[in-house]
Amino acid sequence: MIDHILTLLIAIPLLGALVVAFWPHSNPTHFRSIALATLLLEFVATIALYIGFDIKNPGLQLSETVDWITLPIGSLGVVSIDYALAIDGISFPLVLLAVLVLFIGLISSWGIKIKTKAYFALYLLLSGSIIGCFLAQDFFLFYLFFEFMLLPMYFLIGLWGGPRREYAALKFFIYTFLGSLFILIVMIGLYLSAIDPVETAMTVGLMDGNDVLNSNTILQIQLWLAEGRIAPENLVHTFRFAYLMDPNNYIPGSILSAISSYTILGVPARLLAFWFLFIGFAVKLPVFPVHTWLPDAHVEAPTPLSVVLAGILLKIGGYGFIRIVDGFFPIEAQYSMIPLGVLALISIVYGGFNALGQKDLKKMIAYSSVSHMGFVLLGVAAFTAEGINGAIYQMVSHGILSS
């Protein structure tokens, strides 16, 4: 098994984008060849990942964690951002799908003859960002990759698209950017409300870097946190998914604590945070009524980008629902099952009937994608193992068929 295989999966297309960007303009075909070699290497790394992945293990595997940013900020505690990657049964099939679809999209791009250097550099940048979203285990890192996808897609649609490409690119940018703001608000709230029990244990002197981590240490820190025995300046706040999912890591009385009584305009803060996250990822999926950017983007995008858009980009919304929305707010997800199910059914029927009425193939696929992603939301709304498995299966199936 190759060491740091997950980092390689992200780094290969990003390094390929740099090579294309700095390669001299002597021959435009060189840019195609570099991009092809890059994604062939990515394909080989994916095969190594497939061999090294234990399909019987439901937990996170091949984890890579490095302290990235640690910054004391006085009474507000310590800022801690980790470079954390891992893969499990949720992200594994989507990574395989992403590499396959991106390779198909690259082959489809072979006929691009205008501004080939910029096109293939942006395409590889988009590829690395997509893979990074599926592998990130730190919310800040995930958000970084999530936002990185926005710029290459905007330029790829706006420069190489159809007659109304500027309108479609701007509409895509506005919808996605506004959705990202909802996610950012919740991300900040979660960060201020939760701690990293391991880093906090080191800060208060309960363990040092040479000690072997054990569950008793974490339980001790969580007990001290609940009793208010840790000074605010010693609390190490975190973006790590694993810690944000554990209600015992939340500061008592914080705005998004599981036992918090905070309300905003009469709505419990955690329920509002759940719906903010839902809106952010619903735009990306997309779900009715925030789907209207997709038909325009599909029609105006160059065909290779339509392949990537339908085949994999929409799946990041579904992945966000499963990993983040349901993972961080399971009680609120169960409470909201009915409205989520209703929205899913509307998307299924509305998207299907609109697809039936289209004469343009791209627009038909766009509306059918709204319908198919409605089934993904329906599986997520069911909040059962069968529903989640069905949602993942549907995403992989749609990714292959639509591509």
Side-chain angles (χ1 to χ4, degrees):
M1 186 63 194
I2 302 173
D3 292 334
H4 306 294
I5 184 66
L6 302 185
T7 295
L8 276 175
L9 284 169
I10 299 171
I12 288 171
L14 296 182
L15 290 174
L18 280 176
V19 172
V20 171
F22 288 101
W23 197 266
H25 279 279
S26 56
N27 192 337
T29 60
H30 290 172
F31 306 129
R32 301 188 187 94
S33 302
I34 294 169
L36 179 61
T38 299
L39 287 192
L40 281 174
L41 189 58
E42 183 85 346
F43 203 79
V44 172
T46 307
I47 293 172
L49 173 68
Y50 182 83
I51 294 170
F53 184 80
D54 182 4
I55 201 167
K56 296 180 181 179
N57 179 5
L60 294 171
Q61 301 179 42
L62 308 174
S63 299
E64 301 176 26
T65 306
V66 177
D67 285 338
W68 185 14
I69 299 172
T70 302
L71 180 66
I73 51 175
S75 61
L76 294 178
V78 180
V79 174
S80 177
I81 301 172
D82 296 333
Y83 174 79
L85 306 177
I87 194 167
D88 62 3
I90 299 172
S91 53
F92 178 65
L94 295 174
V95 170
L96 298 183
L97 173 67
V99 173
L100 175 63
V101 171
L102 289 166
F103 188 76
I104 292 170
L106 180 67
I107 298 300
S108 305
S109 303
W110 214 250
I112 297 290
K113 301 188 186 310
I114 301 172
K115 301 175 183 172
T116 53
K117 180 176 185 174
Y119 179 90
F120 287 104
L122 289 168
Y123 188 89
L124 291 174
L125 178 61
L126 176 66
S127 302
S129 302
I130 290 172
I131 300 296
C133 276
F134 292 132
L135 297 180
Q137 289 297 313
D138 182 276
F139 207 166
F140 183 90
L141 189 62
F142 172 88
Y143 191 79
L144 199 64
F145 287 124
F146 190 79
E147 288 299 289
F148 250 75
M149 292 186 300
L150 181 60
L151 289 176
M153 276 299 295
Y154 172 78
F155 287 113
L156 286 167
I157 296 172
L159 294 176
W160 289 273
R164 299 173 69 242
R165 57 185 179 271
E166 293 90 353
Y167 168 78
L170 186 59
K171 191 173 183 179
F172 164 79
F173 182 89
I174 291 172
Y175 269 72
T176 307
F177 180 72
L178 290 177
S180 299
L181 287 179
F182 284 98
I183 297 174
L184 178 62
I185 291 169
V186 179
M187 186 176 78
I188 294 171
L190 287 167
Y191 171 79
L192 293 174
S193 301
I195 67 159
D196 181 333
V198 178
E199 294 285 343
T200 302
M202 293 181 182
T203 303
V204 300
L206 199 59
M207 62 179 289
D208 59 37
N210 298 320
D211 291 338
V212 177
L213 178 65
N214 62 73
S215 57
N216 290 332
T217 303
I218 293 178
L219 290 174
Q220 184 67 60
I221 285 295
Q222 291 174 341
L223 178 62
W224 287 0
L225 180 68
E227 294 175 349
R229 293 172 58 185
I230 305 176
E233 60 270 17
N234 291 329
L235 294 174
V236 181
H237 296 272
T238 185
F239 289 103
R240 288 284 296 277
F241 286 170
Y243 300 141
L244 293 177
M245 291 178 185
D246 187 346
N248 294 317
N249 291 327
Y250 283 76
I251 302 167
S254 59
I255 189 169
L256 292 181
S257 169
I259 57 174
S260 171
S261 59
Y262 270 94
T263 61
I264 300 173
L265 299 177
V267 181
R270 283 184 63 87
L271 182 61
L272 194 63
F274 168 85
W275 281 105
F276 270 35
L277 282 179
F278 171 82
I279 292 169
F281 289 114
V283 171
K284 186 68 78 175
L285 193 60
V287 175
F288 175 90
V290 290
H291 68 286
T292 57
W293 65 268
L294 182 61
D296 292 312
H298 244 305
V299 170
E300 300 303 326
T303 300
L305 261 294
S306 294
V307 169
V308 174
L309 185 59
I312 193 61
L313 212 66
L314 306 184
K315 312 307 179 291
I316 293 171
Y319 176 76
F321 283 147
I322 297 169
R323 173 75 71 195
I324 296 174
V325 183
D326 281 3
F328 295 172
F329 299 99
I331 296 174
E332 289 73 21
Q334 287 184 306
Y335 178 81
S336 306
M337 288 169 65
I338 299 301
L340 291 181
V342 170
L343 280 173
L345 290 173
I346 293 172
S347 294
I348 292 167
V349 176
Y350 174 85
F353 273 112
N354 271 280
L356 286 172
Q358 301 305 318
K359 299 183 189 297
D360 184 290
L361 179 62
K362 281 188 176 183
K363 191 164 281 191
M364 184 196 75
I365 294 174
Y367 279 112
S368 69
S369 295
V370 173
S371 181
H372 292 155
M373 293 302 99
F375 284 102
V376 172
L377 179 59
L378 192 61
V380 173
F383 207 69
T384 62
E386 293 81 5
I388 299 299
N389 285 330
I392 296 171
Y393 188 92
Q394 171 72 355
M395 285 193 285
V396 174
S397 170
H398 178 264
I400 294 171
L401 294 173
S402 61
S403 299

